[in-house]
Each structure stands twice: as structure tokens, then as C-alpha cells.
Amino acid sequence: MPGAGLCSCWGGRVLPLLLAYVCYLLLGATIFQLLEKQAEAQSRNEFQLEKLRFLENYTCLDQWALEQFVQVIMEAWVKGVNPKGNSTNPSNWDFGSSFFFAGTVVTTIGYGNLAPSTEAGQVFCVFYALLGIPLNVIFLNHLGTGLRAHLAPIERWEDQPRRSQLLRVLGLALFLTLGTLVILIFPPMVFSHVEGWSFGEGFYFAFITLSTIGFGDYVVGTDPSKHYISVYRSLAAIWILLGLAWLALILPLGPLLLHRCCQLWLLRLRQGCGAKEAPGRRSGGSRAARKVQVTPQDFATSKRGLGS
């Protein structure tokens, strides 16, 4: 019956997966709360103390005027205006920054530090995302499929000699390692140098970006005290597209490569065990041959049999 099949599917597959999913979320919520709640409370208290010191130093202001000023700052930040610096800060909507924003839209990263503030811009963003997100998915899938097609399919390596398989596995592992260094290691070093971050912060930004999480706490090219080259954010957008294409390649290929390495390792172990057992079998055969002795009576009996 369809109902019985649905219940068995729910109980056999969906329910354990759902329980594991909920438990994983609860575990993450607990750990994040333990790690971040105290720091948040400390930051809140420090901010309140800074406001009180500000009011003590500038007695001409009252609490209401200060709160209004803070509200203006927050609204400016939401609209993408950095409150640091002055009006000579570079625009968030020059071509390079707009290209970077368009890349974050179609890749669904959405840092949250910049968004359209006009009604026309918001409407255009909706339709732009409706067409751009599927286009981005199709592009990344085809690009990853094309890159995997140029590599020798791992499933066909079984027909080749073991030495050739080993060389191909090592070559592919080297290719993936170098690509990972170029995509995930070298760019964080550049971002750390340009933005004044630590390498850990640069790597954190790279991972959060390429995983399309996009918290927005670290974004390149937003510090008004730094003078960036005009194509800096455009190059960052190109890096994002290349990084997502690289992930589209290695995520399906990595498990296959690991499976092939395990198969080659098991095959070598079996051959090694077979080589160790062969001398034992030969020595056992020689011992059996030494136990068989031919007496003169047996030789005479066989000779009379041949003569007859």
C-alpha cells in the first residue's frame, strides 16, 4: 500500500536523518552560545560605557540627541555608507563595487553590508537574482563537468596497469593540492596584506565567502582609510567565481579519488600478503617431498611390473 511504503520510508530514512539534522543544529546552537554570548555582553557594556563617557565630555548633548545620532549612523551603515572618514570616501556603487555586488547576488553570498536603497534598484535586484542564480548554477555545473571530463575518468582507471593507476592518482592529487593552494591559501594571504587582517581572518573570509555563507563581518574593499586599486573588488569577484567553480570540481571528485586510493592500498596489501604466503607453500611442499622415501623393495616391485 502507498501509505505503508511512505511510513517505512519515513521511519527508515527520513526520520533518522531528521533527528541527526536537528541534533546537529542544537549542538551548533549550544556551542555558539557558549562561545559568543559572554563576548556580546562585554561589547554591549563597553559600548554603553563609551556613550556615558561621551555625554560626560560633551555636556551640551543629552541622551536623546546621542541616541538620534547613533540611529543616523546605523541607518547609514545599513545603506552601505561607512560612517568612518568623510564624503571623499570611494563610492560603494562605482563599476568595480557594482560588479562585486552583482557577483554576490548571483552566487547567493549576500554579505549584507551593501544593498539597493532605491525602489527601482530593489525591484531590479529581484528579477536579476531570479535569472542570475539559475544561470550561475548551470554555469558552475557545466564548468565542473567540463573540468572533470578533461581529467581521465577515475572509473576507467581499472582497465589500466596498477603502476599507471598509481601515477594518475598521484598526478591528480598534486593537481588538486596545487589548485587548493591557489584558490584557498594564496588569496587569503593577499587579502590579509591589503586589508590589514591576520592570515586566520583572511582564511575565514575566504571560506565564508566560497561556502556562500557570507556573514558580512569581513568584506574586502570597504575600509575608507585604505586606497585600493580600481579593479580590486572586480578581481575579488572573479576570484569568487573561480573558487566556486573549483569547489564544483573537487567536491564530487574528492570522494572518488579517496575511494581509488583506498582500493590501490588494499590491492597492495593483498599482493603483499600473497607474496608472504607463497614461500610457506613452497617450503611445505619441499618438506612433504622429503618425507616421501623410495625403498629398494618398491623399486624392484615396480621393475617386475614393467617387465610383465
Side-chain angles (χ1 to χ4, degrees):
M1 296 178 63
L6 181 62
C7 292
S8 62
C9 178
W10 174 264
R13 297 180 181 179
V14 179
L15 185 58
L17 184 60
L18 177 62
L19 291 176
Y21 184 73
V22 172
C23 290
Y24 191 74
L25 292 177
L26 293 175
L27 176 64
T30 303
I31 294 177
F32 282 127
Q33 182 182 19
L34 292 175
L35 294 176
E36 299 296 333
K37 187 175 182 180
Q38 185 176 359
E40 180 203 19
Q42 183 178 357
S43 299
R44 182 182 291 113
N45 293 333
E46 290 178 355
F47 178 68
Q48 296 299 329
L49 289 175
E50 287 296 328
K51 287 200 300 183
L52 291 177
R53 293 193 190 101
F54 185 82
L55 290 174
E56 291 175 356
N57 293 330
Y58 300 92
T59 55
C60 59
L61 291 176
D62 56 6
Q63 182 71 25
W64 181 83
L66 180 60
E67 294 296 335
Q68 289 294 111
F69 182 66
V70 171
Q71 182 66 29
V72 171
I73 292 177
M74 293 182 63
E75 291 178 357
W77 179 262
V78 169
K79 293 180 180 179
V81 178
N82 196 322
K84 296 172 59 178
N86 49 40
S87 60
T88 61
N89 292 341
S91 173
N92 287 321
W93 293 106
D94 56 11
F95 182 78
S97 299
S98 300
F99 184 80
F100 181 79
F101 174 77
T104 61
V105 170
V106 299
T107 56
T108 68
I109 295 175
Y111 288 115
N113 68 311
L114 185 64
S117 59
T118 63
E119 184 176 355
Q122 293 170 353
V123 172
F124 174 75
C125 185
V126 169
F127 289 100
Y128 184 76
L130 286 175
L131 295 178
I133 293 174
L135 178 62
N136 179 69
V137 172
I138 294 172
F139 167 71
L140 293 179
N141 287 337
H142 279 273
L143 185 58
T145 303
L147 291 174
R148 289 193 298 270
H150 284 289
L151 299 173
I154 297 182
E155 293 82 357
R156 301 179 186 175
W157 291 3
E158 297 179 355
D159 302 331
Q160 300 178 0
R162 187 169 61 88
R163 182 179 180 84
S164 178
Q165 292 185 34
L166 182 60
L167 291 177
R168 286 184 176 274
V169 169
L170 292 178
L172 184 56
L174 180 61
F175 172 73
L176 294 178
T177 302
L178 291 177
T180 302
L181 290 175
V182 172
I183 296 297
L184 292 179
I185 303 300
F186 181 68
M189 295 174 62
V190 175
F191 295 142
S192 301
H193 175 72
V194 175
E195 301 290 341
W197 300 337
S198 65
F199 178 77
E201 291 172 324
F203 186 81
Y204 168 79
F205 163 75
F207 177 80
I208 294 299
T209 296
L210 296 183
S211 59
T212 68
I213 297 174
F215 289 126
D217 50 351
Y218 289 88
V219 183
V220 295
T222 57
D223 191 348
S225 63
K226 297 184 180 298
H227 299 282
Y228 304 102
I229 61 175
S230 58
V231 295
Y232 176 63
R233 301 193 80 182
S234 298
L235 293 176
I238 295 174
W239 164 74
I240 292 174
L241 295 177
L242 293 178
L244 292 176
W246 180 255
L247 291 179
L249 168 66
I250 66 173
L251 289 180
L253 198 59
L256 293 177
L257 179 62
L258 182 61
H259 179 67
R260 175 56 59 193
C261 291
C262 292
Q263 284 185 338
L264 291 175
W265 181 66
L266 292 175
L267 180 61
R268 175 167 290 186
L269 284 180
R270 291 174 182 173
Q271 290 180 350
C273 293
K276 291 179 180 178
E277 292 177 358
R281 288 195 296 267
R282 288 195 296 268
S283 61
S286 62
R287 287 195 299 268
R290 285 195 300 268
K291 290 180 181 180
V292 177
Q293 297 179 355
V294 180
T295 62
Q297 292 80 2
D298 294 334
F299 180 74
T301 302
S302 62
K303 187 175 182 180
R304 284 196 301 270
L306 291 174
S308 62

